[in-house]
Structure formats: C-alpha cells, structure tokens
Amino acid sequence: MIVAILEGVTTESTSTTPASREDIRRFQANLDDEIDGVFIYQMLAETEKDPERVRIFTELSAVEERHANVWREKLREAGVAPREHGPSLKVRGLKLIARVFGVGSVIPIVRSMEAGAYGAYMAQDATAQALAPDEREHRLIMSKLAHGDKQEDASAAIVKRERWHRSGGSGILRASIFGASDGLVSNTALVMGFAGAQTTGDFVLLAGIAGMLAGSFSMAAGEYVSMRAQRELYERQIELERAELLAVPEEEMREISLIYQAKGLNKDEADKTAARLMENPEIALDTLVREELGLDPSELGSPWGAAASSFFAFAIGALIPVAPFVFADASIGYVVASAGMSALALFGVGAGVSLFTGRSALYSGARQVGLGVLAAAVTFAIGRLVGVSTGI
C-alpha cells in the first residue's frame, strides 16, 4: 500500500469536556475540507486514463472518506448533526480544469492543498494530529505524480525534478515581449479595420491611440494580478515548507539527504551534509525550496515590475502601426507604410519569443508575421465591408 489507510481512528471523548462553539465550527470546517478531498480524488480517478493512477486516486479517496467520518462522529458527540453538502466551488473549478487540460494540470494544486491540510491538522487537537500523517503522505504522493512517478523511490523522483528548467527571473522579460506582441497584433488589426473602412486619417489615429491606451492599461492590470497570484502561491509553498521543517525535521533531513544522493553523493556523505545543513534552519529551508519546489526565493518576480513592463511594451508595440497616421491621412501609401512597419516589428517580436520556445528565430518571426497579417487582413476586409454598407 502506498498510503496509510486509517483504521478505527479513536476519537476523544467529550463527556468530560463539552465541545465549545469554536470546536464545533472547527469540526465542521474539517468535515467540509474532507468532503472536498473525497470529491477531488474521485474526480481524478474518473478523469485519469492510467489504471495504476486510478487505483492510487481511489485509495486516496477512501482515506479522505475515513477522515470525514471521524469529523462526523466528533460532531455527533457534540450533539450536532453534521452538515452535509456537495463539493465547494473551488473544487468544482478544479474538475473543469482537469477535464479541459488534463489531470496533470491540477495535481500541483492538490499537492499544495494537502500540504496546507497537514499544517492545519498539526496545529489542532490530538484527533486532528492523528490524521495529519495521512495528509503528509498524500502530499508526497502528489509530488511524485506531478513528476510522472507512481511508486518509484524518492531519489528517482528528485532526479526528474532536477531536470526542470526554471525561469523565475524572466518574468519581466516575458511580460515585455508578449506585451509588445499583443500591442502590435491588436492595434495593427484595429488600425487596418478603420483603414479598410476608408475613414479619414484623424479617425484612424484616434482609434489607434484609444486602442493603445485601453490595451496598455488592460495588459498592465492583468499582468499585475497574474504575477501577484503567482508570487503569493510561491510564498505560501515556502511557508508550508518552513512549517514542515519545524514540525518534522527528521523527515526533512531525510529529504535533503535524498537530494544530495541524487546529485551523486553516497548515503553516508549525503546524511552528513544534510545534518550539517539542518544546523541552520534557514539554509535547510533554502535548500528544500530550491531543490524540492524548484523555486529561487530571491527571484519570485515583481508584480509592479511586470505590470509596468507590460504597459510600456504594449504601448510601444501598439504605437508602431499608428505612427504613419500622425503625419497624414489614411491614403494607401500610409496604410502600406503602417503594414510594413508592423510586419517588421512583428518579426522582431517573434524572434524574441524564440528565446522562450527554443524555436529558430526565423521560424518564430515568420509565424508571428503570419498571424499578424491574418488578423490585419480579416479586420481590413470587415472594415471595407462595413464602410461600403454604411456609405462611409
């Protein structure tokens, strides 16, 4: 068995100390979380195609159901009927994500939830602490599954983890490149649509500037929210790792030892290194965060920096197709100039995207130009049709 299935958990008697209102709220909150857990693993088992993983998820669901029964019994002992309900909105969202993007897309989220459950149970009474080891086991299983493992040894899982390429410091560069790309494509299409309608240069210029400003603010706001959420997620993972380091230092020292064994040290050397690192909790935490979670605590990304980069990058990209109309009306020569400048800029942005994708700069640049031309051609044609039909 890969999970410790809880048999006959002994709940504490409440005959001597009646449960308080706070206790009852806590019992119900724990039950709610376990109901969500049952649903999550049942959903994963139904969505997963691999029979071995289906078996794992089914076992995990059974454990969560046993945990839920513990809290149902605690509520009954307190003289309160357990409040049964379906899965929460968040968990229903996970189901949708799993079905659209696959089981692998939600496993890291489930892993984080299990880590949080472990910390929450360890901070409660003896009944909750008796359940905590199962939550920790679930978290470890999710870690292995996240890296494509089923039941292989921890050293092998860590070796796979080491192959991941990390890009924590590239957030602002990424935001800049993709911001410029969005600005170019969207505003080129907008400008060509107005040009196709044969409006005057003033209208084209006004539409282009409005599109530039609206898009820039939208991009900045979206990038800020995205980066802030990512940073908060990483900070939470670090804090969960810190809590585990304090709660079960022996297990964390064993994980550090396995990390160094995966790097080539023999067991004795790895154990000594791990013991030495554990003498300084901050260094031990930094090691676990970097090697186990794949994060660099010093490079979590700046939401404001990403937002500013997106704003200015989008604005610069959006300004290029508008620039010719600052000087003249929407004559064919200036439309061609706008299209040509936009195509050159799109090629440059596409080449920049190749930094992230590993594709050749020529391929990425040509693809970006092709997409931009397609968008511009469609909007130009629609603009021409609308202009003719309305007599513009």
Side-chain angles (χ1 to χ4, degrees):
M1 294 290 292
I2 61 167
V3 293
I5 297 181
L6 197 64
E7 296 286 355
V9 173
T10 303
T11 58
E12 297 170 287
S13 174
T14 58
S15 57
T16 57
T17 306
S20 65
R21 288 185 178 181
E22 182 60 34
D23 288 334
I24 292 172
R25 282 195 294 268
R26 178 167 57 84
F27 297 159
Q28 184 63 55
N30 290 342
L31 174 58
D32 293 344
D33 290 341
E34 296 296 349
I35 289 174
D36 279 353
V38 172
F39 179 85
I40 286 172
Y41 290 119
Q42 286 178 346
M43 175 270 294
L44 292 176
E46 293 169 0
T47 309
E48 178 59 58
K49 305 300 183 183
D50 186 301
E52 176 63 12
R53 290 192 174 205
V54 170
R55 182 185 68 79
I56 292 172
F57 293 138
T58 301
E59 288 188 11
L60 294 175
S61 176
V63 176
E64 299 291 346
E65 183 62 38
R66 291 176 186 273
H67 288 187
N69 288 334
V70 170
W71 300 116
R72 291 187 179 104
E73 183 60 27
K74 294 288 284 185
L75 286 166
R76 294 189 187 103
E77 288 179 358
V80 177
R83 186 177 69 250
E84 304 289 346
H85 62 85
S88 65
L89 183 62
K90 176 182 178 180
V91 172
R92 292 179 187 275
L94 287 180
K95 180 178 181 179
L96 178 61
I97 293 172
R99 287 188 170 177
V100 174
F101 299 103
V103 169
S105 64
V106 302
I107 284 181
I109 301 173
V110 177
R111 175 195 180 280
S112 179
M113 292 171 65
E114 292 289 9
Y118 171 80
Y121 277 172
M122 287 300 294
Q124 296 181 31
D125 59 17
T127 300
Q129 290 174 10
L131 305 180
D134 284 349
E135 304 296 346
R136 177 176 172 79
E137 181 71 12
H138 295 182
R139 173 252 184 188
L140 294 173
I141 292 168
M142 290 300 102
S143 290
K144 290 185 178 182
L145 294 180
H147 303 296
D149 304 315
K150 294 173 185 174
Q151 287 181 269
E152 61 193 28
D153 70 282
S155 295
I158 291 169
V159 168
K160 287 187 177 181
R161 204 171 302 155
E162 289 298 311
R163 295 182 188 144
W164 283 19
H165 290 278
R166 301 160 190 170
S167 58
S170 63
I172 293 178
L173 177 60
R174 177 185 61 83
S176 298
I177 291 179
F178 287 100
S181 173
D182 284 352
L184 270 166
V185 174
S186 63
N187 233 31
T188 298
L190 179 64
V191 166
M192 290 301 146
F194 273 82
Q198 296 182 324
T199 57
T200 65
D202 289 340
F203 277 105
V204 176
L205 181 60
L206 177 61
I209 292 176
M212 178 187 71
L213 292 174
S216 296
F217 282 111
S218 176
M219 275 292 291
E223 192 66 29
Y224 176 86
V225 172
S226 174
M227 184 66 77
R228 170 56 65 185
Q230 174 181 281
R231 185 181 180 91
E232 289 173 351
L233 170 63
Y234 289 165
E235 288 173 345
R236 172 171 166 75
Q237 290 179 326
I238 291 171
E239 287 307 309
L240 290 172
E241 198 66 45
R242 186 191 302 276
E244 290 190 3
L245 188 62
L246 294 174
V248 281
E250 298 84 4
E251 278 291 322
E252 298 302 305
M253 184 168 70
R254 178 175 174 272
E255 289 187 16
I256 293 175
S257 175
L258 289 170
I259 287 170
Y260 284 97
Q261 289 178 51
K263 290 179 177 294
L265 296 183
N266 61 47
K267 188 177 184 306
D268 288 341
E269 292 174 330
D271 287 344
K272 290 178 182 178
T273 301
R276 195 173 303 118
L277 289 173
M278 289 295 292
E279 293 174 2
N280 187 325
E282 288 303 315
I283 293 178
L285 176 64
D286 186 80
T287 301
L288 287 166
V289 167
R290 290 174 184 272
E291 304 294 346
E292 184 179 2
L293 301 181
L295 302 177
D296 185 343
S298 65
E299 295 184 4
L300 298 185
S302 167
W304 284 111
S309 298
S310 293
F311 181 93
F312 290 111
F314 187 101
I316 292 170
L319 185 61
I320 291 173
V322 180
F325 300 100
V326 173
F327 307 103
D329 60 18
S331 64
I332 187 63
Y334 287 96
V335 171
V336 172
S338 174
M341 291 171 60
S342 298
L344 288 174
L346 283 167
F347 185 90
V349 169
V353 171
S354 69
L355 296 173
F356 298 96
T357 64
R359 291 274 194 174
S360 73
L362 181 61
Y363 173 86
S364 295
R367 179 178 61 183
Q368 191 76 13
V369 171
L371 293 172
V373 167
L374 177 62
V378 170
T379 54
F380 184 90
I382 293 173
R384 177 57 62 89
L385 289 173
V386 171
V388 170
S389 65
T390 58
I392 294 178

